[in-house]
Amino acid sequence: MRKRITELTNVNVNGMSAAEIVNTVVLPRIVYPTGQDIRGWRIGDDFMNLMADFAPDFYHADSYTAIILLEIAMQRLSCGAVLHDPTPVLDALPNGYKQYSSACDQPGLMSNGCWNFIRKQAAFCLSIPQTRDHMTKIIFGLYDHLDKNGNELYGFTLGGSDFKTSGKEVFDFATQTIGNLTFQEQYEHFATPNRYMRNKEFFRNNWQHIDKKDLAQRLNIKGFFKEFKTKRAIFNN
């Protein structure tokens, strides 16, 4: 980790504490403050690849600053690389770190560095309470905007001409990762009028565990015999 940071910045970080490395080198010299005149269009792949390769090392050295770095990396994903449910931007970072958010960045499609980070560190982000919700939304966003063959849905563009990974590989990764989430996380995401049709298999497989009244309410099914109507909606092809 220290060797990579020195290679990227020409700053010798040997002898520095982990927090000092993050605050005086990684953030100002690799992430850069948000704004086109400082950072450029968006957070770059040098940072995304650094986090892809060394996120656990940052965390084990200093968890507080590592969580900030992980949030910043996920904000790059949320700024154009993945379409997903809303998540905080400025409010997700502590005072003193908000200038490193993606608040003033231009949206950018998925880069190879972005995918490298997701592929290597999604599970790690999901293992940390402070980063779990944001990464969960990112993974669901990938799943929602690709079909099983990797075709893009709902106007989503996965990556530019230099993006090297197939949509099917991304979809398969998202599906596998979602399978490791809790039942409640999957249920709350899938149980909407716009999503349940595509995820009937989930409801069928978990039918005995589902509160039918709650599901009817979430699917906006009204009137008499709501539970019957809900079952028919799920089990009819």
Side-chain angles (χ1 to χ4, degrees):
M1 180 182 76
R2 290 172 183 262
K3 180 180 178 182
R4 175 79 66 83
I5 294 168
T6 296
E7 290 172 350
L8 291 172
T9 64
N10 291 318
V11 175
N12 186 349
V13 298
N14 291 329
M16 293 185 184
S17 69
E20 186 179 4
I21 291 172
V22 170
N23 290 322
T24 66
V25 183
V26 174
L27 287 172
R29 292 174 177 265
I30 301 177
V31 177
Y32 295 105
T34 187
Q36 186 177 346
D37 56 334
I38 303 173
R39 175 181 287 167
W41 292 110
R42 62 192 65 89
I43 295 165
D45 269 7
D46 282 348
F47 175 67
M48 299 305 290
N49 285 317
L50 179 69
M51 294 305 296
D53 293 338
F54 299 108
D57 299 84
F58 279 111
Y59 187 81
H60 294 138
D62 186 82
S63 61
Y64 179 79
T65 55
I67 288 169
I68 291 168
L69 294 181
L70 288 170
E71 171 59 29
I72 292 169
M74 290 188 292
Q75 288 195 11
R76 164 61 184 100
L77 301 175
S78 300
C79 189
V82 184
L83 302 180
H84 61 74
D85 290 344
T87 189
V89 181
L90 287 174
D91 290 345
L93 294 171
N95 291 333
Y97 294 92
K98 296 181 187 297
Q99 74 263 34
Y100 296 108
S101 75
S102 65
C104 297
D105 289 1
Q106 294 293 320
L109 299 179
M110 180 84 73
S111 67
N112 294 309
C114 288
W115 174 243
N116 194 30
F117 174 75
I118 295 174
R119 179 176 60 86
K120 290 184 177 181
Q121 301 301 340
F124 185 66
C125 290
L126 291 171
S127 74
I128 301 172
Q130 296 93 324
T131 55
R132 184 179 179 92
D133 182 68
H134 194 165
M135 182 53 74
T136 297
K137 289 177 179 177
I138 288 168
I139 296 298
F140 275 130
L142 290 173
Y143 173 86
D144 289 342
H145 291 89
L146 296 167
D147 68 17
K148 63 181 181 180
N149 296 315
N151 298 310
E152 298 155 340
L153 303 174
Y154 315 119
F156 174 62
T157 300
L158 178 58
S161 58
D162 61 341
F163 186 63
K164 300 176 182 178
T165 307
S166 71
K168 186 178 188 312
E169 182 178 341
V170 174
F171 178 82
D172 289 346
F173 177 88
T175 302
Q176 181 179 5
T177 304
I178 287 169
N180 294 324
L181 298 177
T182 67
F183 164 79
Q184 193 63 28
E185 286 170 326
Q186 294 180 65
Y187 173 73
E188 290 181 1
H189 185 79
F190 293 149
T192 73
N194 295 327
R195 293 177 180 143
Y196 84 93
M197 286 288 292
R198 189 183 175 206
N199 298 286
K200 285 186 175 183
E201 184 177 359
F202 167 81
F203 294 104
R204 292 168 180 169
N205 291 341
N206 294 281
W207 190 248
Q208 62 181 340
H209 307 298
I210 292 174
D211 182 328
K212 313 307 186 294
K213 291 182 179 179
D214 179 75
L215 181 58
Q217 183 176 359
R218 289 174 183 269
L219 300 186
N220 199 28
I221 295 174
K222 300 178 180 179
F224 295 107
F225 311 112
K226 287 187 292 186
E227 291 186 28
F228 172 77
K229 292 178 182 178
T230 303
K231 185 174 183 179
R232 184 174 61 187
I234 296 299
F235 285 89
N236 285 5
N237 292 326

